[in-house]
Amino acid sequence: MRDPDRPRDKTKLSHVSESQYVDNQHSDDTPKEACGVFGIYAPGQPVAHLTYLGLYALQHRGQESAGMAVGDGDSLTVVKEMGLVSNVFDDRTLSTLSGDLAIGHTRYSTTGSSTWRNAQPVYRGIDHVEFALGHNGNLVNTETLTVESGMLPGTVTSDTDLMAELLMSALLERPEIGSSEAFEAALREVLPRLSGAFSLVLADRTQIIGVRDPNGFRPLCLGRLDGGWVLASETPALDVIGAHVVREIEPGEVVIIDRNGCRSLHPFDTVDVDPRLCLFEFVYFARPDSNLYGQSVHHARVRMGEMLADQAPVDADLVMGVPESGIPAAEGYARRSAIDFGHGLVKNRYIGRTFIAPTQALRSTAVRMKLNPLRDSIDGQRLVVVDDSIVRGTTTRSMVRMLRDAGAKEVHLRISSPPYRWPCFYGMDTGAKAELLAANLTVDEIREYLDVDTLSYLTLDHLLKATGAVGAGFCTACLTGEYPVSIPQILTEQSRKMQAIDQSVTLGLEQTQSGLSAAEATRLFNRT
Ligand code: SF4
């Protein structure tokens, strides 16, 4: 099958330095989602085509690779490739994948490199025993599990690969191997050993299984389709195939779906079950047409903007959002402040994922490729610019310069979440702490660095209220430093090492892109 991304794999381009790479997914100034998962049990239905549609609806959660595993009662067939869902599957491929059940996956790598081997679903098979696994999230105890299991270095290449290996080992020890009872027993044995974030879909020849970790960091919902059941990271994946939402899978719940219907297990210790859905699903990651904790994500984002307007009003002529995710909050801000809402930036939706820029000047145009100002709307205007978050600040800084070049008289930046100060270890790629602008600068220094007239962030209290999910549990670790699942020292040390490397990279880029002197940049980025 065609592999559009592989020839551009960084590992195969040794003559290209890291800094020459302009990767529009990775260099983007927003946190990155880890993955989307989908599962369907629907005998008699075109499960591969339905999985394709479901994955298409989850494409925003990962664009590096896509795959599916289809079971027909006698065998399990896995197809996975690097690239977008539409690159990986075509009519011919899908028409060869007939069966009663399927699971699917779209991937953005946060552990394990972006290679074909790490594309998912991960497959394990010995004789008549086989299964496939798709994972959204990140384990934080992979090191311990690897050592405890006595695995040789290189046996597994990602936390998902490790889970599959542990499950296969547990299955092989069961006398009733090959039965659904054996699979259930293996899950009961392995799942409580995992620590961190994991929303999983699994399939063998006759059943699909959904798993949500005891904190429910990543979403997973259950839907009903004529004669079948569906699992998906987000509700729009159910909408597109005509399924209706039954409910969210509970934190710590395992759902097994087979010809007997749908049943639940609760293999985790009840004291560990503590709902902590990632708050950034509401802020940025999830699609606006998703429902989380029974709340509309779009309406939550509009409320964030309304609360920002109450919290940080300003005299201005126009409120605009940074496309796409800043727009609902901008609408809310405009409505509450009675300032005109308009569009000031156009986003190119068709930009490719990666290209190699041979010069600094070309690399600097990367932001311009994504966002272009609408000069007629901006010229001479006092702007309120609403965005969902600032992670590294590089894109925001370039965007502000674009707006000023287009004639903006004032730029007042409003962010619909609190300062992002701590790295995520639960499946979001935000980089090391040194890369996080708010970890190193005060709000006033950030304002100065971004060159905006005023800057305000939504408070955590307001953000939690804006979700509408009163009393629901959230992870807020990247905003508060309070990690619901403790992070092993080895991970924080790795992050610190990355910090040293990233800091030098950041400094190098900032000196050329922003025009700051080396001394200024060092002062700004060294304030820890
Ligand atoms: Fe989400 Fe932040 Fe928690 Fe990561 S640390 S799961 S991004 S809230």
Side-chain angles (χ1 to χ4, degrees), residues 25-305:
Q25 187 180 173
H26 293 73
S27 65
D28 199 355
D29 191 18
T30 48
K32 300 299 176 304
E33 180 54 87
C35 295
V37 294
F38 184 87
I40 182 164
Y41 182 93
Q45 303 256 17
V47 291
H49 287 82
L50 294 170
T51 301
Y52 174 86
L53 294 173
L55 291 181
Y56 209 89
L58 298 172
Q59 186 73 87
H60 63 291
R61 298 184 74 90
Q63 296 97 44
E64 288 183 0
S65 65
M68 70 173 76
V70 180
D72 63 3
D74 296 321
S75 65
L76 199 59
T77 305
V78 180
V79 177
K80 60 179 187 177
E81 267 298 350
M82 306 303 291
L84 300 173
V85 177
S86 55
N87 297 136
V88 173
F89 298 101
D90 56 20
D91 277 343
R92 215 175 62 177
T93 317
L94 292 172
S95 64
T96 63
L97 295 169
S98 57
D100 300 329
L101 59 89
I103 60 167
H105 191 269
T106 61
R107 180 168 193 255
Y108 175 86
S109 55
T110 49
T111 71
S113 51
S114 178
T115 60
W116 182 87
R117 183 173 173 182
N118 286 334
Q120 298 186 32
V122 166
Y123 172 85
R124 287 291 185 282
I126 296 177
D127 296 331
H128 62 293
V129 179
E130 56 181 350
F131 69 87
L133 165 65
H135 172 207
N136 176 201
N138 253 22
L139 297 189
V140 297
N141 66 335
T142 47
E143 195 76 20
T144 312
L145 290 170
T146 310
V147 171
E148 279 175 7
S149 313
M151 283 180 204
L152 294 171
T155 307
V156 294
T157 54
S158 70
D159 54 351
T160 315
D161 207 21
L162 172 63
M163 275 188 260
E165 195 66 22
L166 292 173
L167 264 175
M168 190 44 130
S169 300
L171 270 174
L172 291 173
E173 282 165 15
R174 311 301 309 179
E176 69 279 31
I177 186 168
S179 66
S180 59
E181 289 76 21
F183 211 99
E184 185 178 322
L187 287 170
R188 284 186 187 279
E189 182 185 323
V190 171
L191 291 176
R193 294 174 63 196
L194 310 179
S195 181
F198 48 99
S199 277
L200 310 177
V201 288
L202 297 108
D204 66 11
R205 295 172 182 180
T206 59
Q207 60 187 345
I208 64 165
I209 297 166
V211 178
R212 207 162 165 212
D213 66 67
N215 298 106
F217 285 108
R218 302 283 148 236
L220 187 65
C221 61
L222 177 70
R224 198 82 168 93
L225 182 74
D226 266 355
W229 296 87
V230 189
L231 296 162
S233 293
E234 292 183 42
T235 53
L238 305 185
D239 300 336
V240 297
I241 63 162
H244 69 264
V245 180
V246 174
R247 62 179 175 85
E248 292 179 14
I249 305 296
E250 289 166 23
E253 182 182 8
V254 174
V255 169
I256 299 178
I257 299 165
D258 60 17
R259 65 192 162 95
N260 298 315
C262 175
R263 64 197 166 88
S264 291
L265 311 176
H266 295 89
F268 301 96
D269 195 329
T270 47
V271 298
D272 293 331
V273 177
D274 176 21
R276 297 298 186 125
L277 176 68
C278 169
L279 188 52
F280 264 78
E281 294 282 352
F282 267 101
V283 174
Y284 168 76
F285 299 128
R287 283 173 54 136
D289 50 345
S290 279
N291 275 280
L292 296 168
Y293 277 150
Q295 302 295 317
S296 152
V297 169
H298 174 76
H299 288 136
R301 288 176 186 165
V302 172
R303 280 194 295 270
M304 289 170 205

Side-chain angles (χ1 to χ4, degrees), residues 31 197 217-218 276-281 285 420 422-428 430 474-479 483-484:
F217 285 108
R218 302 283 148 236
R276 297 298 186 125
L277 176 68
C278 169
L279 188 52
F280 264 78
E281 294 282 352
F285 299 128
Y420 200 109
W422 281 270
C424 176
F425 295 93
Y426 307 131
M428 296 303 166
T430 54
F474 284 105
C475 174
T476 60
C478 51
L479 311 173
Y483 291 91

